[in-house]
Amino acid sequence: MKNYIVHDAWKVIEKGFFAQNNKISESLCSIGNGKMGQRANFEEQYTGATLRGSYVAGLYYPDKTRVGWWKNGYPEYFAKVLNATNWIGIDVQVNGEILDLAKWKVIDFYRELDMQKGLLSRSFIAENGKGEQVKVSSRRFLSMRESDAGAIEYSVTALNFDGNLRIEPYLDGDVFNEDANYDEKFWTEISKERSAAKNTGLLLMETKKTQFRLATAMQIDLLKNGQNHNIELKVISRDKYVSNVYQTEIQKGDTVTVFKYVVNAASIHFATETMVEDAKLILDRIHKKGFEILLAEHIEKWKEIWDDADVIIEGDVAAQQGIRFNIFQLYQTYTGEDERLNIGPKGFTGEKYGGVTYWDTEAYCLPFYLKTTDAQVARNLLIYRYKHLQKAIENAEKLGFKNGAALYPMVTINGEECHNEWEITFEEIHRNGAIAHAIFKYINYTGDEYYLAEYGLEVLIAISRFWKQRVNWSEDKQKYVMLGVTGPNEYENNVNNNWYTNTVAKWTLQYTLDGMEKVKSKHPELFKSILKKVKFNQFEDTDEAGAWFDIIDNMYFPVDEVRNVFLQQDGFLDKIIEPVTALPVNERPINQNWSWDRILRSCYIKQADVLQGLYFLENQYDMDTIRRNFDFYEPITVHESSLSPCVHSILAARLGYKEKAYELYLRTSRLDLDDYNNDTEDGCHITSMAGTWMSVVEGFAGLRNEGDTLFLRPFLPDQWEAFSFTIQFRSARLKLSIQHKTITIENISKVNVSLVLFDEKHIIPAGETLKQNIEGSVIAL
């Protein structure tokens, strides 16, 4: 755990240059706008430790799978999130010496990500071997309003010398991915343009194999001491590279400022035939607006997002910074405007994991977007999966399943499975359950019952067909069992009867059957059309529904009769059960200090597994059952998955374990800011960040819903003076404030809202406010 980031309610601040932490800071201060993103790399050259990263949503490369030996069913490739054209580059030379903070003495350094404005700033003073000092200041952003555009302001001041300054803004397409399986570069150059007269340059690049194209265009303005400056200009171009070089004589105190305007036009958004001209037109438009107008529009868009999504925590700056950091990263990764896009586990902050879609989206991100913005955003996440249904069926067929059974991929970017660790690819099949449960969550929260008929039922039937084929009848147990799986706890592989997997399988079968009855009743003609489309009861199982009912009635679930808890899987109690507190500190995290063999034989759990099921299906279990399982499993959970602390925090809050809930909230909210698991340098954990918001809203506020009624059971952590947030619920908008003595719920919409607060039902009329003291009596309505 590191603690070098300054605690601030709205900013991520790094004071002083910590070269050993630079890759971490690059991750933390990444910027994005839903279409593209950029790690906080330096504009000038840097030969120290860095992970270069410029990413464009939807562009990928099918990097050939690299494994020790091949197994039937293995995906042929791993989808790489591509490092694309480096658009931020601005090389600087002072009297012929290249500015490089790895080689110059850094006297002062300050880096700041303003999350309220979506603005990355940096300043430093550096000295070369001759004692010449420069001060550099920069600001950059990726526009939330002009989503194909970014802009940089970069200033160099001579502090104690006269001489020559050379500045070279450039576009560089000769980039690579550090995680490339065969050290291959994935881009080829199609064309380039440059104009000394217009101070412009353009690179048109294309990916190998997938033939995605990216047109990156730049325009440069140069000022000296605040005035437009006409100086000697030279254009340099080489393969995959174009730049404009400016050289000028400067005197002590002079400041030269570069404004760099850039457009990234990708072929998933622009026609290949016109994308170069389209890029130029956008570039001309943003250049005419200028840096300050572009920035003002960008800040206004962020204000709209914060008005809906902000969580305000009073009295705890670390907690406040944590929640805003997570909300900021989520919204700059995914805006919901394009149903072809999804939420990668690293977002635009790194290239690790590949793909863009894991079960994280459905399990964690969908509830966040459901409650903070228009329901169409969450709907688009589900439609993304619907459009990949045929690919999911093909994925299942590769593993030997048939008759329309679907196995959604563990990792994908286009619907095909592209994960190449067998214990994940073939066995972590619980991801199907998360997708089914997401359909339920969406419909239950929004009331959009038609989604079931329009899209959802087809997906549920295909998933249920998979579960039917994946179980087998055990003569010994006289039950249906599920063999050879990996549950959410990836520190256990190839186990039998993982309780969570069996539970979500049974739940999905029942929900599918219930859904069929609803669609049949409300949309009979559409129901007939769906059954005909999916060929229901036309395969060898002439009574598919009957087979599902039989599995529901006879599914096997491992339990410990002594402790009266659900067992994570068969044989779990063969392990030595010791709490995490028994582990030496220097052996944590165990995934970086233990052999995999030792991990697999230990009792230690990477993330919520049984507890994940109790979180998903909380209303099916009484509090005593949840408490017994929590008390057994949480002490042996190492939380080495970013997805783990939030689930435990929510359950702890529900159980009244206030200190544990707060402890785990702080861990999930500051997981990357404090580098808890020593892995932030690879990128931030974007999908788990939604769990931070859930820890506040579902945990501390106790928010649930059943149909059109909200349920709230809030409490205030002892470390906080108050917290407040806004939620969207169906056609209503509510602002909730929880203080030490009172709870205030303001209905800032035009419809009445029904809710249950501490087991007492209330109707809050449109535009009215309910104020209640913490003991339960109503103060005013």
Side-chain angles (χ1 to χ4, degrees):
M1 178 177 171
K2 299 174 182 64
N3 191 27
Y4 72 98
I5 297 297
V6 177
H7 288 187
D8 185 277
W10 275 111
K11 297 175 180 178
V12 177
I13 298 171
E14 179 185 14
K15 288 184 178 180
F17 183 53
F18 305 96
Q20 72 276 17
N21 294 335
N22 184 54
K23 290 169 74 174
I24 299 171
S25 299
E26 288 178 345
S27 297
L28 296 178
C29 295
S30 298
I31 56 174
N33 64 7
K35 271 191 179 179
M36 55 182 169
Q38 172 67 50
R39 282 174 62 85
N41 308 125
F42 300 159
E43 288 89 356
E44 72 278 356
Q45 286 192 35
Y46 182 66
T47 55
T50 183
L51 173 62
R52 283 279 167 189
S54 299
Y55 310 107
V56 179
L59 305 190
Y60 70 95
Y61 181 83
D63 198 12
K64 184 173 173 56
T65 296
R66 186 171 188 170
V67 293
W69 59 91
W70 198 264
K71 293 181 175 67
N72 287 337
Y74 256 148
E76 295 183 356
Y77 67 89
F78 191 57
K80 288 292 184 290
V81 175
L82 290 183
N83 193 4
T85 299
N86 176 9
W87 61 274
I88 67 169
I90 302 174
D91 284 352
V92 177
Q93 290 185 28
V94 175
N95 289 328
E97 186 172 348
I98 296 172
L99 175 62
D100 181 347
L101 294 191
K103 298 177 180 179
W104 287 43
K105 179 181 178 182
V106 182
I107 298 173
D108 191 18
F109 183 93
Y110 180 88
R111 177 160 37 190
E112 171 190 293
L113 174 64
D114 188 326
M115 298 179 289
Q116 190 173 25
K117 299 177 179 178
L119 180 66
L120 175 62
S121 304
R122 185 169 58 106
S123 64
F124 62 86
I125 295 173
E127 180 179 279
N128 63 18
K130 295 178 286 187
E132 296 168 334
Q133 294 182 358
V134 294
K135 179 179 180 180
V136 173
S137 300
S138 69
R139 296 190 295 167
R140 79 172 178 244
F141 62 96
L142 282 167
S143 175
M144 293 292 282
R145 189 72 69 183
E146 295 274 4
S147 58
D148 301 298
I152 302 172
E153 177 190 43
Y154 190 91
S155 296
V156 182
T157 302
L159 295 183
N160 64 353
F161 68 94
D162 300 339
N164 181 267
L165 179 67
R166 183 181 188 272
I167 297 182
E168 183 177 351
Y170 63 86
L171 302 174
D172 183 8
D174 191 22
V175 295
F176 63 92
N177 274 48
E178 286 197 357
D179 67 346
N181 284 337
Y182 295 91
D183 297 324
E184 183 181 6
K185 292 184 177 180
F186 303 141
W187 292 93
T188 59
E189 180 189 308
I190 301 300
S191 64
K192 65 166 66 76
E193 298 179 20
R194 56 272 185 193
S195 170
K198 295 181 179 179
N199 291 347
T200 60
L202 183 143
L203 272 181
L204 179 61
M205 305 295 294
E206 183 178 79
T207 59
K208 300 175 184 177
K209 296 184 181 178
T210 45
Q211 277 81 54
F212 291 115
R213 287 196 174 187
L214 178 66
T216 305
M218 69 173 180
Q219 182 155 0
I220 308 300
D221 288 340
L222 196 75
L223 283 72
K224 187 173 182 180
N225 297 327
Q227 303 297 317
N228 288 329
H229 190 50
N230 295 317
I231 58 175
E232 177 186 351
L233 170 63
K234 184 169 113 177
V235 172
I236 294 178
S237 72
R238 56 178 182 265
D239 186 42
K240 304 180 184 178
Y241 183 94
V242 63
S243 72
N244 294 340
V245 178
Y246 306 89
Q247 291 196 116
T248 185
E249 296 300 316
I250 55 174
Q251 296 180 329
K252 176 181 175 181
D254 282 348
T255 297
V256 175
T257 301
V258 174
F259 287 98
K260 185 176 184 181
Y261 302 92
V262 176
V263 169
N264 276 315
S267 56
I268 68 167
H269 301 296
F270 296 88
T272 303
E273 309 78 38
T274 62
M275 61 189 304
V276 168
E277 291 307 312
D278 290 336
K280 291 178 183 178
L281 288 172
I282 298 171
L283 183 64
D284 183 60
R285 182 175 72 238
I286 66 169
H287 179 253
K288 287 177 178 176
K289 286 184 178 181
F291 188 90
E292 295 300 337
I293 290 176
L294 278 175
L295 179 58
E297 291 176 346
H298 169 72
I299 292 171
E300 181 59 30
K301 182 63 177 178
W302 267 113
K303 182 181 183 302
E304 294 172 12
I305 293 171
W306 286 117
D307 285 346
D308 287 337
D310 193 18
V311 173
I312 300 170
I313 297 171
E314 298 177 29
D316 189 340
V317 176
Q320 178 69 88
Q321 183 182 42
I323 187 66
R324 282 184 173 145
F325 177 72
N326 286 259
I327 295 168
F328 175 77
Q329 290 289 356
L330 281 160
Y331 265 104
Q332 70 171 6
T333 300
Y334 182 77
T335 60
E337 296 172 2
D338 190 337
E339 65 188 36
R340 297 170 300 171
L341 303 179
N342 210 279
I343 308 158
K346 292 293 183 184
F348 296 126
T349 71
E351 59 194 47
K352 189 177 179 181
Y353 297 134
V356 296
T357 311
Y358 287 56
W359 70 289
D360 310 16
T361 291
E362 285 76 27
Y364 297 87
C365 298
L366 185 132
F368 167 77
Y369 289 102
L370 262 180
K371 297 178 178 70
T372 62
T373 191
D374 188 89
Q376 186 61 45
V377 173
R379 203 173 202 268
N380 281 346
L381 290 173
L382 295 179
I383 291 173
Y384 177 92
R385 290 293 196 178
Y386 174 79
K387 290 189 172 181
H388 286 173
L389 177 57
Q390 186 55 44
K391 290 287 187 183
I393 292 171
E394 293 170 11
N395 292 333
E397 288 173 348
K398 292 174 184 176
L399 302 184
F401 296 87
K402 56 187 178 179
N403 300 344
L407 176 60
Y408 276 93
M410 186 65 184
V411 180
T412 192
I413 202 161
N414 67 353
E416 292 180 305
E417 176 66 76
C418 65
H419 195 282
N420 49 26
E421 295 177 42
W422 68 268
E423 67 274 16
I424 306 298
T425 306
F426 303 153
E427 296 192 343
E428 202 161 334
I429 55 177
H430 64 83
R431 65 230 194 205
N432 261 7
I435 292 167
H437 196 256
I439 294 171
F440 162 76
K441 282 185 289 193
Y442 169 77
I443 294 171
N444 182 47
Y445 195 79
T446 64
D448 181 9
E449 294 281 353
Y450 189 65
Y451 182 83
L452 190 63
E454 190 177 14
Y455 299 113
L457 189 57
E458 283 185 55
V459 172
L460 291 170
I461 290 171
I463 290 174
S464 291
R465 283 171 165 171
F466 173 84
W467 289 130
K468 192 273 175 188
Q469 296 175 44
R470 188 58 173 78
V471 300
N472 59 271
W473 179 256
S474 167
E475 285 294 333
D476 177 62
K477 292 182 172 62
Q478 289 293 293
K479 294 283 185 180
Y480 287 99
V481 296
M482 193 104 65
L483 307 179
V485 304
T486 297
N489 172 31
E490 293 169 342
Y491 289 176
E492 296 272 12
N493 302 145
N494 200 32
V495 302
N496 294 335
N497 294 309
N498 172 256
W499 182 89
Y500 172 73
T501 305
N502 286 20
T503 296
V504 294
K506 175 182 174 178
W507 178 89
T508 302
L509 291 167
Q510 186 63 63
Y511 183 57
T512 304
L513 290 165
D514 294 344
M516 292 176 73
E517 287 301 315
K518 284 185 179 179
V519 176
K520 180 180 180 180
S521 171
K522 295 183 178 181
H523 309 283
E525 293 304 314
L526 186 53
F527 179 68
K528 291 177 184 177
S529 174
I530 293 169
L531 294 192
K532 182 178 179 181
K533 180 179 181 181
V534 304
K535 299 180 180 179
F536 195 75
N537 280 341
Q538 294 180 33
F539 298 109
E540 62 261 32
D541 280 322
T542 55
D543 183 9
E544 290 193 77
W548 297 351
F549 276 120
D550 190 42
I551 296 169
I552 292 167
D553 292 339
N554 294 286
M555 182 72 88
Y556 169 73
F557 299 97
V559 297
D560 174 12
E561 302 288 355
V562 176
R563 295 176 179 83
N564 199 14
V565 297
F566 305 125
L567 282 184
Q568 186 173 274
Q569 71 266 343
D570 287 348
F572 185 78
L573 290 180
D574 292 337
K575 297 170 177 287
I576 298 172
I577 307 298
E578 292 182 329
V580 173
T581 53
L583 285 171
V585 174
N586 63 355
E587 294 185 15
R588 301 281 305 277
I590 61 173
N591 63 17
Q592 296 174 24
N593 291 283
W594 285 15
S595 69
W596 196 245
D597 168 74
R598 187 179 179 189
I599 290 173
L600 291 175
R601 288 185 288 109
S602 78
C603 70
Y604 298 120
I605 299 172
K606 181 182 180 185
Q607 67 191 80
D609 196 303
V610 169
L611 298 184
Q612 183 76 40
L614 295 179
Y615 163 66
F616 267 0
L617 306 174
E618 181 186 81
N619 63 346
Q620 297 187 10
Y621 303 97
D622 59 48
M623 283 298 104
D624 285 341
T625 298
I626 296 173
R627 187 183 308 278
R628 287 193 304 273
N629 282 276
F630 186 92
D631 290 348
F632 178 67
Y633 285 108
E634 199 286 324
I636 57 177
T637 303
V638 289
H639 299 295
E640 289 174 11
S641 165
S642 63
L643 302 174
S644 187
C646 61
V647 171
H648 289 80
S649 178
I650 294 166
L651 290 177
R654 186 70 181 93
L655 293 169
Y657 297 165
K658 296 183 180 181
E659 282 303 313
K660 177 58 71 173
Y662 175 79
E663 169 200 330
L664 292 169
Y665 162 78
L666 208 59
R667 180 176 181 128
T668 190
S669 69
R670 299 193 63 84
L671 180 77
D672 291 311
L673 286 170
D674 294 334
D675 195 23
Y676 267 88
N677 290 336
N678 296 321
D679 57 3
T680 305
E681 67 178 28
D682 296 325
C684 297
H685 298 82
I686 303 301
T687 48
S688 69
M689 289 179 173
T692 301
W693 186 91
M694 289 155 55
S695 296
V696 174
V697 175
E698 297 182 11
F700 302 139
L703 180 71
R704 306 288 190 275
N705 85 287
E706 290 181 14
D708 61 0
T709 300
L710 286 173
F711 292 79
L712 287 158
R713 189 176 292 274
F715 74 87
L716 186 68
D718 293 339
Q719 295 83 354
W720 298 358
E721 295 174 4
F723 71 98
S724 60
F725 58 90
T726 302
I727 60 165
Q728 315 287 330
F729 178 59
R730 304 200 171 186
S731 54
R733 192 163 178 254
L734 300 175
K735 183 173 183 179
L736 295 87
S737 177
I738 293 88
Q739 300 175 318
H740 279 295
K741 294 184 179 180
T742 59
I743 300 159
T744 304
I745 305 171
E746 185 180 357
N747 183 355
I748 47 178
S749 58
K750 297 180 180 179
V751 296
N752 298 343
V753 175
S754 172
L755 62 83
V756 176
L757 179 61
F758 293 122
D759 301 321
E760 184 177 348
K761 188 167 184 177
H762 302 275
I763 303 295
I764 308 179
E768 298 293 327
T769 298
L770 170 68
K771 193 169 186 179
Q772 179 170 310
N773 64 33
I774 207 75
E775 286 79 26
S777 59
V778 174
I779 298 173
L781 178 58

